[in-house]
Amino acid sequence: MVRELTLTDALELQKTQSHTLVDVRSPKEFEEATIPGSLNISVFSNEERAEIGTLYKQVGKQAAMDRGLEIFSAKLPAFIAEFRKIGTPITVYCWRGGMRSKTAVTVLELMGIRANRISGGIHTYRKWVIQRLEQPFTPELIVLNGYTGSGKTKILHKLKEDGYPVIDLEGMAGHRGSIFGQIGVKPNNQKKFEILLAEKLDRYADEPFVFIEGESKRIGQVHMPPLLFEKKEKSPQWIIQLPTKVRVDEIMSEYEPKERPEQFLEAFKLIKKRIHQPVAADIESDLENGRFAEAVEQLLTNYYDPQYEYSVARFAVAGEHVIQAETVQEAYEECLDRCKELKK
């Protein structure tokens, strides 16, 4: 008999006990969106799932089921072997808690591996995510802001390593937020972004304050939920100010334009018309000839910094604190000092 668990019970087990959630959907489905912390042990590969889906539409349900059984039977030993590697209690799920998860649990039981199944599958988790994003987030937000290249993301990561609650929007989006932000990283879709964000909002719901970066509403391919964006806009801003040369060095270190010169030139052409000539021509020439530091400095001075000055009015009333430093490390240390004040 298949043992059903509600989503709430499964998440509680995952959070409070040594318990493994296993997504048995295809790798493509898993990559698009899954419950954070889950393993992927697929009943069908991407190609197999597509083949069965085509059979279902063109021939019928029975033909699809027969082909599915044929495929799964051949890979059964490898499927079971992957589950035997798991040293904790197990709960599996698919999209709606249907055929794939039921088949997986039944087969595991026959092989002596006890497993539960999430009733309703990840579809119920998607509903939970939407509801969570529509709820107010009560902790105070501390927003790290400042000119492009000020090390805000690096400081956030350092604060997280020190145990402070951090929401890394760029990390969840798989995008750094600028026109060059997709270079060298893998972007996430809206659904995956929302899943990762909802999990953080739920985890930090009882914290007194949470750090976040001063992002715009759109980050690459994804959009921040309206409630969180509005709260961020009204929250205290810690404005990081570093010398331009340091910011250039930070950008060069993070983006590594020498490794992907064609992508940087292609991205620049998307904003070229927004920059006055002959500056735009100079930047393009620098990029074409490998003078990346010079191009970055010109972009900061003539494109990104004026944009920041224009947008600063958005948060001027939110309560600012300027952190002026010579290095990212100095800025981080001042942030730590301010954190101690927050705890008093």
Side-chain angles (χ1 to χ4, degrees), residues 193-219:
F193 171 75
E194 289 177 351
I195 283 175
L196 296 173
L197 179 57
E199 189 272 334
K200 287 292 186 185
L201 295 177
D202 190 62
R203 180 188 301 183
Y204 296 145
D206 296 326
E207 296 285 347
F209 60 87
V210 176
F211 287 98
I212 194 169
E213 191 170 340
E215 299 290 343
S216 60
K217 191 168 187 177
R218 180 175 176 179
I219 311 167

Side-chain angles (χ1 to χ4, degrees), residues 43-60:
V43 170
F44 300 122
S45 68
N46 298 332
E47 296 74 19
E48 291 163 351
R49 177 173 174 262
E51 178 188 348
I52 293 167
T54 300
L55 265 178
Y56 187 91
K57 292 177 183 177
Q58 296 181 354
V59 182

Side-chain angles (χ1 to χ4, degrees), residues 135-181:
Q135 296 171 6
F137 187 57
T138 55
E140 180 180 23
L141 291 180
I142 306 296
V143 185
L144 292 190
N145 224 314
Y147 291 109
T148 301
S150 296
K152 301 181 292 293
T153 301
K154 185 179 288 187
I155 292 171
L156 277 181
H157 291 173
K158 285 176 174 287
L159 290 170
K160 183 179 178 182
E161 290 172 4
D162 287 331
Y164 290 98
V166 166
I167 294 177
D168 181 6
L169 294 169
E170 290 186 359
M172 295 173 187
H175 197 283
R176 299 187 188 93
S178 72
I179 195 68
F180 304 96

Side-chain angles (χ1 to χ4, degrees), residues 244 247-249 251-252 257 264 283 286-287 291-302 304:
T244 300
R247 293 162 55 213
V248 171
D249 291 343
I251 292 171
M252 291 289 291
F264 274 84
I283 295 172
D286 285 338
L287 289 172
R291 297 187 294 268
F292 298 108
E294 291 86 344
V296 168
E297 184 168 355
Q298 288 265 51
L299 280 165
L300 291 180
T301 303
N302 296 284
Y304 285 107

Side-chain angles (χ1 to χ4, degrees), residues 243-292:
T244 300
K245 182 182 183 308
V246 174
R247 293 162 55 213
V248 171
D249 291 343
E250 283 295 315
I251 292 171
M252 291 289 291
S253 174
E254 182 177 1
Y255 285 79
E256 298 182 323
K258 292 180 181 179
E259 303 297 320
R260 307 172 186 87
E262 298 86 2
Q263 294 180 48
F264 274 84
L265 186 58
E266 183 180 345
F268 169 71
K269 289 178 179 178
L270 297 175
I271 60 170
K272 180 181 176 181
K273 62 183 179 181
R274 304 179 200 169
I275 302 173
H276 295 300
Q277 293 287 4
V279 174
D282 289 342
I283 295 172
E284 188 169 15
S285 175
D286 285 338
L287 289 172
E288 289 173 340
N289 291 282
R291 297 187 294 268
F292 298 108

